[in-house]
Amino acid sequence: LLHPYELRRWPAADLAWLKSNFAPVPAPDAGQCIEALARVIRRHRESSDSPVLVFNVSSVVSGETIHNYQGAGDAMSQRIRRFNCALVDASAELGFSIVDVDRIVAEHGARHVKFDPIHFNEVGCRLACEEALRILEDYGVLKEGQGA
């Protein structure tokens, strides 16, 4: 699967290449994503007891100003919220940890930590890494202070 990010900004030649080499398919829903993730986690656990960390996604989508979702279709922020909620349920069932990127963005501000809806800047990357290290320290994988 390929998600052609900011497709409307692609040059005409790149759009032509994309259309000639890929067929559109519907994006998988949150349930399908979680089912695939669960299979990966179960397979991993067959051979390892190492902790599993999964990063959720920030639901802040720059430029998206929807205030009434009736007839809005499947907005990116709405898809992300569904995925994040399904991820919480899967964590409760499968026992993996979530690096809560959505919380990090909420605490520090999207304009301060993100370039766009998907990509973190240096500050955002550092904050997400610090959270992942904190979780690994909680598991005892790292000694306190070793990761930073």
Side-chain angles (χ1 to χ4, degrees):
L1 294 176
L2 169 72
H3 175 66
Y5 182 69
E6 293 206 358
L7 189 61
R8 68 183 182 282
R9 295 183 183 204
W10 284 33
D14 292 346
L15 284 172
W17 171 85
L18 180 70
K19 289 178 182 179
S20 68
N21 288 284
F22 293 89
V25 296
D29 64 27
Q32 293 169 314
C33 291
I34 297 301
E35 286 173 20
L37 176 64
R39 285 192 301 273
V40 169
I41 291 172
R42 287 184 183 113
R43 191 172 318 135
H44 168 76
R45 293 228 168 104
E46 290 173 3
S47 62
S48 175
D49 61 352
S50 63
V52 175
L53 279 65
V54 178
F55 289 66
N56 71 7
V57 184
S58 169
S59 60
V60 176
V61 177
S62 179
E64 192 177 283
T65 58
I66 301 169
H67 58 85
N68 182 336
Y69 286 85
Q70 186 175 27
D74 205 14
M76 179 66 85
S77 61
Q78 187 177 11
R79 288 182 53 78
I80 291 169
R81 286 184 195 103
R82 283 191 199 116
F83 172 80
N84 286 349
C85 287
L87 193 61
V88 168
D89 292 341
S91 172
E93 178 185 337
L94 299 168
F96 62 84
S97 294
I98 298 172
V99 179
D100 196 350
V101 170
D102 203 28
R103 178 189 53 78
I104 292 168
V105 171
E107 286 180 354
H108 297 276
R111 288 189 176 112
H112 183 66
V113 299
K114 292 173 72 174
F115 288 120
D116 56 42
I118 299 172
H119 302 97
F120 276 126
N121 62 22
E122 182 180 347
V123 173
C125 287
R126 176 88 178 152
L127 291 167
C129 286
E130 287 172 357
E131 178 65 3
L133 288 172
R134 183 193 67 76
I135 293 168
L136 291 172
E137 286 174 351
D138 283 354
Y139 277 110
V141 174
L142 300 173
K143 295 179 180 149
E144 194 169 330
Q146 180 182 353

